[in-house]
Structure formats: structure tokens, C-alpha cells
């Protein structure tokens, strides 16, 4: 049973100025997380540009190493553009089992420090140090907290085999999160009480949560470019510019007033996967591809928990932090990726066609969830969904636009169904009878090329094999004991988007 949530302190205890009296909120952000895990596990890639995400032209960059960022590669960029900017990088598909394992280690360390840990994604979390019970943190004085945070970063580095984390500490979530981004990678910034506005005032107004491109443009027309400019506006003027709720929120945040608590809670009423992008997505086709891949993650977690659900929901957060949800309730529970994906794409299509918001203005978060959980699935549900999807999309009920699943349409009656082709995704872990463990360098035209090395070996040799070589097989990471309904599992994972049927491409 999780520990009880401590009561939120009254304003007097939190400091009547709108934030805590001590710098006791820590934000930890693992640096270039996906790419860093790949460089950790692949010695030949250390110090070199690495891009994780979809490897085909229609792919989307999930994370780029700092070496790749030097060439202008960034998250949410199309893989085609990334290859043009940095053709010599290693382009790898994600290994989400490895990322979840590393994330679990880090979150475990944070929870050993304080019961109040709020994960935001696989690679970042808030920690309430005021709730900590650690002999290394006898008080919340800045010098003590800084020393404690340095030791915490060292623990993360050692326990994860070399991953680095940037840490920000402040009197509020706002200040802690901004601070963690000021000295990346592998940095630590503590903003002492009283130093919040001095930090914020010279910064661009876009550093404030809720100020996306559309809001920033409205504020620019009003002469607001920095947080100091924003602070100079009255609440009435901000309400006129951006609306009541948003205006009042910006008025408070511009003054570093943020009393949001660190919330540690479990949500087992739904299963969902969300993807947050550093740079907004504007192409509806890319959004549809991302939702399709997220549906696979949701289905995997439902299967692991032995559950299904009747309501499929998509979540779309725009650049100005406005969030819209669209849901569809089905006649019976569902737990398969195909039906979930089809409903999610239909909901996205409805949103794109609506006049309420134009998704082309920029989307920073996409998510798919299934709720109304049950422990059974109706056998004939799939035919029902096929018919409903056909009505919604205008396609033939027997025609599935997805090519992710093998078909048996061409198999003669009575013949055994063929096994699906074995995919050798760039970056995937493999094992060979003679050469041991390695990873896929690239594959295509019936050949797979493997570099044989692991995190604990020197850079290894490269060998090529036929894709059907019986001595070569995927290496499966031992599964940790995990709760499939843990809110961290599958959250904020950017799934690669691929053009079906294209060969995987590793090193350029």
C-alpha cells in the first residue's frame, strides 16, 4: 500500500509569497535518455551521433544524442530531415524493454529517498524532499540539499551503468523544472528561496508552462517577450489577451507563484500510453501513425494484466497546453491493437475535421487509453468493430489499412498458416550460437548485419548473415517483475513510426 499523501501545507507554511519557504522540490531529468541507453549498451556508439526512433523516411525522431543535436537533429523531426542533417549517425529503432528497465532503476532510487515521487515520463520525475526520511538530508538548507542532490546523481550514474541526470531544485515545480534544463547535460542547479524572480525575469516568456507558439504570438503583439514583460501586465490585461483561466494562471506563474504539490498516486482505472514531444507535430498523418503504434503498447499492457476495456480515448495537447479528449464507447470490451488503433484514428479524424481546433497549429502530446476495464473479451467483437470502422472510414469491412499483421489470404485451404517474417530492427538485441550477443547494425535484401558487443565489452566485430540463419536469433531481456498497471509502465514512450514494408536501416 502506498504511503499516505502528506497534507498540503497552508499558505503560511509554504510562504505567503506563493511558493515554499525552502528549496525542497527536486526535478530529475535523464539526459538524452533513449540515446544514452543505446550508447551505454553499444560501446562502438559512445561519443558518436545516435538517433532513436523510426528509421524509415516516414519515421519520427524520438531522441537524439547530444552528438547528433550538434547537427540540428531534434525530437519530433522526421527521420528524412534528420538523415539529411546528420547522415553519418546511427539510426536505431527503440528497445523499450531496456528503457523501462533503466527507468525502473532510477525511479526505485528516487522512491527510496522520498515516498512523494511524481513520474512525468520514463526519464523524469519530481521528488518532494520535504517528505524525505534520509539521514543524508537532516535539514533543507541550500548547502545540505545541494550535497544530497549530488550524491543522488552519483547513485543514479552508478546504478544505471553510466547514465547521467540533470537536476533542478527550487521552491516550486515551476522553478525546479526550469532549473533542471539550465545546465544540461549532467548538471545541477539549485535556486535558493528568494531567487526565483531573478532567475525567471530575463528568460523568454515561452519558458512559462502554457505559453506555446499561439499564446507567445498574442503576447508578442502586446509587447511581451520576456517573463519580466509578462510580470508587468495586470491580471485584467492578461485575461483580455488569453482568456480568464489562462490569464490568471500566467499572472501567477510570472511571479513564480506555484503551490502545486508533488503527487504520488496510482491510477488503475485505465491503461494508456502518451508521447510528449519537445517540438510540436503538425502533420495529421504522422499523428495517426503515432496513435497506431501507441495502441500496440496499450494492447500489450492490457494483455499482460488480463484485461480489456470498452472505452477508447485519445488525448491531444496543443502547443498552448490546451488539452482535448475524444472517446468512443464500444459495444463490448476490446484488448487487441488493431481495433484500438482503428478507433483512435477515427477519433483523430473527427478532431481534425472539427472546427474547434486545428491540429496543424501544433500538437505537443498525443495519447491513447482504454478504460471501462473488464477481464473478458467477447468473441465476435472483432467483426463488430470491422463493420463499425468501415462505416466510420468508408472502407470495405474486410479491408484493413494496417499491414502490421500477417495475412493468410493466399494460403491454400488446409495448409498451415505461414510464420510472420522475422524482423531485424536496427539496434535490436540478438544472439548467435558462435559469436554470442550483439545488436543489429542493419538489415535488408535477405541479409542482416550484426555488431557483436555488449555494455561490458570493448567495441566488437561486425558480421553479416542470412536473415533466416538458424544460429541467429533475437535476444530477449529477462522480464523484471512489474505491475502492468503501474502508471509509469508505457507512459510517455515515443514509439517509432515506420512506413510498412521498408527495410530497417541502422548505420548510414
Amino acid at each position: 500500500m502506498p504511503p499516505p499523501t502528506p497534507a498540503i501545507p497552508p499558505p503560511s507554511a509554504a510562504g505567503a509569497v506563493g511558493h515554499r519557504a525552502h528549496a525542497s522540490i527536486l526535478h530529475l531529468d535523464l539526459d538524452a535518455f533513449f540515446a544514452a541507453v543505446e550508447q551505454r549498451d553499444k560501446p562502438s556508439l559512445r561519443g558518436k551521433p545516435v538517433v532513436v526512433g523510426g528509421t524509415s523516411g516516414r519515421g519520427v525522431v524520438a531522441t537524439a544524442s547530444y552528438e547528433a543535436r550538434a547537427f540540428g537533429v531534434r525530437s519530433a523531426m522526421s527521420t528524412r530531415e534528420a538523415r539529411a542533417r546528420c547522415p553519418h549517425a546511427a539510426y536505431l529503432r527503440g528497445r523499450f524493454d531496456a528503457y523501462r528497465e533503466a527507468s525502473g532503476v532510477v525511479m526505485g532510487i528516487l522512491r527510496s529517498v522520498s515516498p512523494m515521487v511524481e513520474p512525468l515520463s520514463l526519464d523524469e520525475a519530481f521528488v518532494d524532499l520535504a517528505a524525505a526520511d534520509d539521514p543524508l538530508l537532516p535539514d533543507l538548507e541550500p548547502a545540505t540539499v545541494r550535497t544530497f542532490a549530488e550524491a543522488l546523481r552519483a547513485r543514479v550514474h552508478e546504478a544505471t551503468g553510466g547514465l547521467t541526470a540533470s537536476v533542478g531544485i527550487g521552491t516550486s515545480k515551476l522553478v525546479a523544472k526550469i532549473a533542471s534544463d539550465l545546465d544540461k547535460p549532467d548538471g545541477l542547479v539549485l535556486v535558493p528561496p528568494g531567487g526565483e524572480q531573478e532567475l525567471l525575469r530575463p528568460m523568454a516568456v515561452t519558458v512559462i508552462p502554457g505559453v506555446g507558439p499561439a499564446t507567445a504570438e498574442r503576447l508578442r503583439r502586446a509587447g511581451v517577450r520576456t517573463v519580466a514583460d509578462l510580470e508587468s501586465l495586470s491580471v485584467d490585461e492578461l485575461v483580455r489577451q488569453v482568456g480568464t483561466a489562462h490569464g490568471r494562471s500566467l499572472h501567477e506563474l510570472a511571479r513564480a507563484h506555484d503551490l502545486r504539490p508533488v503527487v504520488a498516486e496510482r491510477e488503475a482505472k485505465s491503461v494508456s500510453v502518451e508521447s510528449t514531444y519537445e517540438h510540436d507535430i503538425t502533420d495529421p498523418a504522422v499523428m495517426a501513425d503515432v496513435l497506431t503504434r501507441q495502441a500496440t503498447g496499450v494492447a500489450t499492457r492490457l494483455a499482460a494484466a488480463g484485461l480489456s476495456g470498452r472505452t477508447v480515448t485519445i488525448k491531444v495537447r496543443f502547443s498552448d497546453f490546451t488539452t482535448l479528449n475524444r472517446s468512443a464507447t464500444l459495444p463490448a470490451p476490446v484488448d487487441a491493437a488493431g481495433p484500438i488503433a482503428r478507433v483512435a484514428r477515427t477519433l483523430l479524424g473527427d478532431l481534425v475535421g472539427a472546427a474547434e481546433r486545428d491540429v496543424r497549429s501544433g500538437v505537443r502530446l498525443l495519447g491513447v487509453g482504454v478504460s471501462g476495464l473488464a477481464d473478458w473479451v467477447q468473441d465476435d467483437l472483432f467483426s463488430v468493430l470491422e463493420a463499425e470502422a468501415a462505416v466510420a472510414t468508408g472502407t470495405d469491412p474486410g479491408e484493413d489499412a494496417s499491414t502490421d499483421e500477417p495475412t493468410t489470404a493466399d494460403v491454400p485451404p488446409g495448409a498451415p498458416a505461414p510464420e510472420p517474417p522475422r524482423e531485424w530492427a536496427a539496434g535490436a538485441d540478438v544472439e548467435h550460437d558462435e559469436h554470442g550477443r550483439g545488436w543489429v547494425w542493419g538489415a535488408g535484401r535477405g541479409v542482416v548485419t550484426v555488431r557483436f558487443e555488449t555494455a561490458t565489452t570493448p567495441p566488437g566485430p561486425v558480421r553479416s548473415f542470412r536473415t533466416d540463419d538458424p544460429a541467429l536469433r533475437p535476444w530477449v531481456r529477462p522480464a523484471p517483475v512489474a505491475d502492468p498497471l503501474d502508471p509509469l509502465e508505457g507512459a510517455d514512450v515515443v514509439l517509432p513510426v515506420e512506413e510498412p514494408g521498408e527495410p530497417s536501416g541502422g548505420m548510414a
Side-chain angles (χ1 to χ4, degrees):
M1 177 179 296
T5 301
I8 301 173
S12 58
V17 294
H19 52 69
R20 296 185 177 195
H22 296 93
S24 59
I25 294 183
L26 179 148
H27 179 257
L28 181 141
D29 188 5
L30 294 164
D31 300 316
F33 179 50
F34 294 171
V37 172
E38 298 300 339
Q39 290 177 318
R40 178 198 68 182
D41 294 346
K42 299 172 171 62
S44 61
L45 299 185
R46 294 170 189 168
K48 297 179 181 179
V50 174
V51 178
V52 178
T55 55
S56 73
R58 286 192 61 198
V60 176
V61 174
T63 305
S65 69
Y66 285 94
E67 296 85 355
R69 295 182 191 188
F71 292 88
V73 180
R74 52 178 174 75
S75 64
M77 174 183 286
S78 72
T79 302
R80 190 182 310 279
E81 183 178 352
R83 287 187 184 274
R85 291 173 179 258
C86 191
H88 58 289
Y91 289 83
L92 309 176
R93 294 286 299 275
R95 296 182 304 132
F96 300 107
D97 54 346
Y99 309 150
R100 282 191 291 267
E101 181 181 78
S103 175
V105 170
V106 175
M107 298 302 166
I109 291 174
L110 299 183
R111 291 189 176 100
S112 73
V113 165
S114 170
M116 302 306 297
V117 176
E118 182 178 341
L120 303 180
S121 63
L122 289 176
D123 59 348
E124 62 175 322
F126 286 114
V127 182
D128 189 345
L129 299 181
D133 182 17
D134 194 299
L136 297 179
L137 191 66
D139 57 63
L140 294 175
E141 293 303 312
T144 305
V145 172
R146 178 181 293 276
T147 300
F148 178 80
E150 289 286 12
L152 182 65
R153 291 172 61 243
R155 286 179 62 189
V156 168
H157 185 269
E158 180 179 2
T160 59
L163 300 184
T164 64
S166 295
V167 168
I169 307 169
T171 55
S172 66
K173 282 183 170 181
L174 169 71
V175 172
K177 186 164 174 56
I178 290 174
S180 69
D181 205 36
L182 296 181
D183 191 24
K184 293 181 74 70
D186 198 20
L188 169 62
V189 174
L190 185 149
V191 181
E196 298 86 2
Q197 288 177 278
E198 181 182 355
L199 172 76
L200 295 178
R201 282 172 176 154
M203 292 184 168
V205 69
T206 51
V207 77
I208 299 294
V211 181
T215 300
E217 177 57 25
R218 286 196 292 270
L219 293 174
R220 187 194 65 79
R221 291 196 295 266
V224 175
R225 289 177 170 80
T226 67
V227 177
D229 296 333
L230 185 66
E231 185 185 357
S232 69
L233 296 186
S234 68
V235 65
D236 291 338
E237 176 63 22
L238 279 171
V239 167
R240 282 195 298 271
Q241 291 292 335
V242 299
T244 302
H246 200 189
R248 293 185 183 279
S249 173
L250 293 183
H251 184 265
E252 293 298 302
L253 293 175
R255 291 157 177 75
H257 294 176
D258 179 18
L259 287 173
R260 293 173 298 162
V262 176
V263 179
E265 62 182 15
R266 293 177 57 86
E267 176 58 71
K269 297 179 181 178
S270 66
V271 173
S272 63
V273 172
E274 295 181 357
S275 306
T276 303
Y277 297 95
E278 181 181 357
H279 299 278
D280 298 341
I281 296 177
T282 58
D283 185 349
V286 173
M287 298 176 198
D289 283 340
V290 170
L291 291 177
T292 298
R293 301 294 176 174
Q294 289 175 330
T296 300
V298 171
T300 299
R301 295 177 61 205
L302 286 170
L307 295 171
S308 59
R310 292 185 59 211
T311 301
V312 176
T313 301
I314 66 168
K315 178 179 178 181
V316 182
R317 179 169 295 158
F318 295 88
S319 56
D320 62 359
F321 281 74
T322 299
T323 303
L324 297 180
N325 296 305
R326 291 290 183 270
S327 300
T329 299
L330 306 173
V334 61
D335 68 348
I340 297 171
R342 284 192 287 275
V343 174
R345 291 193 299 264
T346 299
L347 292 170
L348 178 66
D350 293 342
L351 186 59
V352 170
E356 183 176 355
R357 286 297 299 256
D358 182 2
V359 298
R360 295 171 183 83
S361 65
V363 168
R364 72 184 314 269
L365 178 146
L366 282 170
V368 176
V370 172
S371 57
L373 300 182
D375 58 2
W376 60 278
V377 179
Q378 183 171 304
D379 291 339
D380 64 351
L381 172 64
F382 302 112
S383 59
V384 173
L385 285 175
E386 295 284 356
E388 291 186 347
V391 171
T393 62
T395 59
D396 185 290
E399 178 184 346
D400 187 352
S402 171
T403 60
D404 289 342
E405 298 179 1
T407 177
T408 59
D410 298 326
V411 180
E419 291 187 1
R422 188 163 48 172
E423 180 187 12
W424 301 106
D429 294 314
V430 296
E431 187 173 26
H432 189 272
D433 288 344
E434 178 182 351
H435 301 287
R437 282 182 50 199
W439 56 278
V440 175
W441 178 279
R445 303 182 187 278
V447 175
V448 56
T449 301
V450 177
R451 182 182 280 275
F452 289 98
E453 61 183 9
T454 68
T456 59
T457 70
V462 175
R463 301 284 187 271
S464 293
F465 308 90
R466 289 171 53 93
T467 54
D468 59 356
D469 189 327
L472 184 68
R473 58 192 170 276
W475 180 77
V476 179
R477 183 178 302 275
V481 177
D483 182 351
L485 294 183
D486 190 321
L488 183 63
E489 287 289 316
D492 283 320
V493 173
V494 183
L495 298 172
V497 178
E498 291 289 358
E499 177 69 27
E502 292 194 16
S504 79
M507 300 295 292

